[in-house]
Amino acid sequence: MSRTLTVAEMALREISRRRGVLILLALLPLAFYYSRRGEAYWQSVRFVSLGIGWTLSTAALFAGSAARAVEPRLRLSGYATHQLYLGRLAALWTVGLALIVPYFLLIRFDLDNVRHGPVALILLLTVAVAAPFGLALSALLPRELEGMLVLLTVVAMQMLLNPDKAVAHALPFWFTREIGVYAIEHDAGTDHVLRGLIHASITLTLFLTLVAVSSSLRLRRRPHISVA
Amino acid sequence: MTVDDWLAAFAAELRRRRVEPAGLVAEAAAHLRDSGRAPLQVFGPPTAYAVSLVDSLRGATTELRRPPSGEPRLAAVRIVKRYGRSTVLDGVDLSVHAGEVVAIIGANGSGKSTMLRICAGLLTPDSGHVRIRGTIGYCPQEGGTADFLTPDEHYVLIGAGRGEPREQARERGRTAAATLDWPRSSGSPVARHLSGGTRQKLNLVLAGLGDPDVLLLDEPYQGFDNGSYLDFWQQVWRWRDAGKAVVVVTHRLAELDRADAVLDLTPRSPR
């Protein structure tokens, strides 16, 4: 446990020193929020969560790529693979939680006609899914540019695709729309929340599995080595 | 430069080259006293004079090759590695004992780093196997450090993996850094702001943290100045004296007498 916490602490220190990333991380969702605040306030809730999802996934992508250089050495130094990715995930989730607090407060005081509990749920689930999503991308696409293009594509599709289409259900942040319906439309049933929760759980499990499997493969002890 | 300054610099350089300075310094001091002239006029720069003196005395120094006496720590047997149709390593054997330094040499692309990565377990060979007795410290040729962490944070991170308490890891890291002519400091910048040579010193210090039994060093002296390069070999010999098995990938053929054995990966040359 202490090793995992040490990895988390160092990952947090690394992220906190990327000032440019932190500023973008903090401000980009705000731009998403105000892009829809005027004419379609109900969409601004979903857009701000997509903004948070995108920026946190990007931060995770870069954190995962940067870690590739040092992780083999950490494995040789005695770390287990799961300690490395869980520590990094814990750091990213911490950053995400710190990020959503001001946005939740903004929505709380700026929008009266929404259910604030479900809004908090959307933001929490977005943070939960975005961190392993970015790490999974960094594992599958080692070059950051390729990962960024995939992230851009996902967010653009998330915004443009009709959420009722089946293909939209395969997108990682589809749950934001589903729970958002319940948060905004007062006559909507809780079945939206249930569907959103199921979608977020499946997505989270999928990305966590991807991160675990890809890390375990990359950092595995090779069979030709025997250590006495 | 005063006589005392000159003598101090002369003694330091001799120590760096593992030559006991007392007699030579006393001799130089007597000569200067008798001549009454400035040391720079008589002997020239202290470092250069020490180098020429040590070279002339080299046959009498104790750092020449010595046969292995400890137990086997690393045994790589019939290692084969191919990249596409190109066979980089073709049945290579390597054996390193406790208290032994082995240099791996070869032309560019001959598979030196590949061999080391296979020995570290970071790369899978097409055939062959590696037996390690003990723990591994690995210093890659590049990478191996985190851009946004300070040296102290690196020590804590690696130390935690080895099970060392935070303060102990930090202290041991700083002490090891000082032996590489890198002054102890608590306010060092993050790794990406270190010079190339200093970053490699950090890389080397990290390889030795936690007292590993086998040290695999892939040209770790990139960017070192001459003094740091000598300090590096001092460190290697200290590890050897402490019973570590050390493998150094090097391209500096002139320095091979610093190792106890040599593995030449140059194609078509006898191994």
Side-chain angles (χ1 to χ4, degrees):
Chain A
M1 187 64 180
S2 69
R3 284 180 180 158
T4 308
L5 288 177
T6 305
V7 174
E9 176 201 336
M10 295 307 165
L12 262 179
R13 285 177 187 268
E14 285 186 86
I15 295 168
S16 69
R17 287 178 184 140
R18 293 171 180 254
R19 302 271 157 73
V21 172
L22 280 180
I23 291 169
L24 284 175
L25 203 64
L27 295 182
L28 208 132
L30 194 64
F32 276 59
Y33 181 79
Y34 277 107
S35 69
R36 306 305 290 167
R37 174 67 184 85
E39 69 262 32
Y41 78 88
W42 58 90
Q43 285 192 353
S44 61
V45 172
R46 188 165 153 254
F47 271 49
V48 78
S49 67
L50 286 181
I52 288 168
W54 187 38
T55 50
L56 192 62
S57 302
T58 307
L61 172 73
F62 278 78
S65 299
R68 291 177 80 91
V70 80
E71 278 181 345
R73 157 169 272 167
L74 294 177
R75 277 285 286 133
L76 287 175
S77 302
Y79 285 92
T81 302
H82 71 273
Q83 291 168 335
L84 298 177
Y85 66 76
L86 286 180
R88 214 161 293 286
L89 270 174
L92 288 161
W93 278 330
T94 305
V95 170
L97 288 176
L99 181 67
I100 61 173
V101 170
Y103 281 105
F104 176 72
L105 292 175
L106 173 68
I107 294 167
R108 173 73 185 78
F109 294 109
D110 190 43
L111 300 178
D112 294 328
N113 297 328
V114 300
R115 292 182 169 120
H116 292 112
V119 169
L121 182 63
I122 292 172
L123 295 177
L124 280 170
L125 291 176
T126 300
V127 167
V129 169
F133 178 39
L135 283 185
L137 270 183
S138 76
L140 298 174
L141 303 168
R143 294 184 185 87
E144 289 163 350
L145 180 60
E146 293 163 3
M148 276 296 293
L149 290 174
V150 170
L151 275 176
L152 266 173
T153 307
V154 166
V155 172
M157 286 176 72
Q158 199 86 63
M159 288 174 167
L160 298 173
L161 269 183
N162 180 351
D164 295 327
K165 282 190 169 181
V167 66
H169 295 206
L171 294 171
F173 299 112
W174 177 80
F175 63 85
T176 61
R177 189 261 184 186
E178 212 43 30
I179 303 175
V181 169
Y182 179 73
I184 290 155
E185 296 176 13
H186 289 268
D187 55 347
T190 53
D191 54 321
H192 288 282
V193 178
L194 184 64
R195 278 199 297 273
L197 275 172
I198 291 170
H199 181 269
S201 304
I202 292 171
T203 313
L204 178 61
T205 306
L206 177 71
F207 288 141
L208 284 177
T209 307
L210 263 175
V211 170
V213 170
S214 58
S215 300
S216 301
L217 279 176
R218 184 166 51 86
L219 299 169
R220 72 190 182 282
R221 172 173 285 174
R222 265 58 176 185
H224 72 280
I225 286 267
S226 59
V227 180
Chain B
M1 181 179 254
T2 66
V3 172
D4 286 345
D5 290 344
W6 191 95
L7 289 172
F10 178 54
E13 192 60 32
L14 288 173
R15 261 187 229 103
R16 224 175 212 167
R17 289 166 183 273
R18 299 204 114 186
V19 173
E20 172 53 43
L24 294 170
V25 170
E27 199 177 313
H31 189 90
L32 290 170
R33 205 168 39 247
D34 293 345
S35 71
R37 293 164 62 199
L40 283 175
Q41 285 179 318
V42 179
F43 297 117
T47 308
Y49 183 61
V51 169
S52 63
L53 207 55
V54 169
D55 283 348
S56 68
L57 293 170
R58 175 143 261 176
T61 62
T62 57
E63 297 309 334
L64 300 179
R65 293 179 185 184
R66 61 190 195 196
S69 55
E71 58 178 340
R73 289 282 186 196
L74 185 157
V77 183
R78 292 190 295 280
I79 300 295
V80 175
K81 182 67 184 175
R82 299 184 193 89
Y83 289 113
R85 290 182 176 178
S86 168
T87 301
V88 179
L89 300 170
D90 189 7
V92 177
D93 295 321
L94 171 65
S95 176
V96 193
H97 295 70
E100 185 182 23
V101 179
V102 174
I104 300 182
I105 62 168
N108 290 341
S110 60
K112 303 186 294 292
S113 296
T114 299
M115 182 67 189
L116 209 66
R117 286 173 60 77
I118 288 171
C119 289
L122 300 173
L123 191 64
T124 307
D126 291 296
S127 67
H129 63 272
V130 176
R131 279 192 304 275
I132 301 272
R133 292 191 67 172
T135 51
I136 300 176
Y138 174 62
C139 179
Q141 192 174 358
E142 52 190 34
T145 56
D147 279 354
F148 288 88
L149 292 183
T150 66
D152 274 0
E153 289 160 355
H154 279 89
Y155 305 149
V156 170
L157 182 60
I158 298 287
R162 301 272 191 208
E164 283 193 357
R166 169 174 298 246
E167 198 50 50
Q168 182 183 320
R170 200 178 288 136
E171 189 55 34
R172 288 176 72 142
R174 287 182 188 176
T175 303
T179 63
L180 292 172
D181 199 20
W182 182 13
R184 294 162 67 96
S185 165
S186 57
S188 293
V190 295
R192 73 188 188 119
H193 290 143
L194 297 174
S195 69
T198 308
R199 194 161 176 158
Q200 267 309 92
K201 288 179 185 176
L202 172 61
N203 220 341
L204 190 62
V205 169
L206 295 179
L209 273 188
D211 220 17
D213 302 299
V214 180
L215 285 134
L216 305 172
L217 315 174
D218 193 354
E219 299 206 38
Y221 44 71
Q222 305 268 357
F224 282 12
D225 56 30
N226 192 48
S228 300
Y229 180 67
L230 294 172
D231 290 335
F232 157 70
W233 278 105
Q234 296 273 4
Q235 180 60 54
V236 168
W237 290 325
R238 273 194 293 274
W239 278 327
R240 178 176 69 176
D241 294 344
K244 312 294 180 194
V246 187
V247 182
V248 185
V249 167
T250 181
H251 65 272
R252 298 195 187 189
L253 304 182
E255 304 289 353
L256 292 185
D257 59 348
R258 295 171 186 272
D260 300 314
V262 174
L263 171 66
D264 187 355
L265 293 179
T266 305
R268 288 185 301 278
S269 67
R271 286 174 183 148

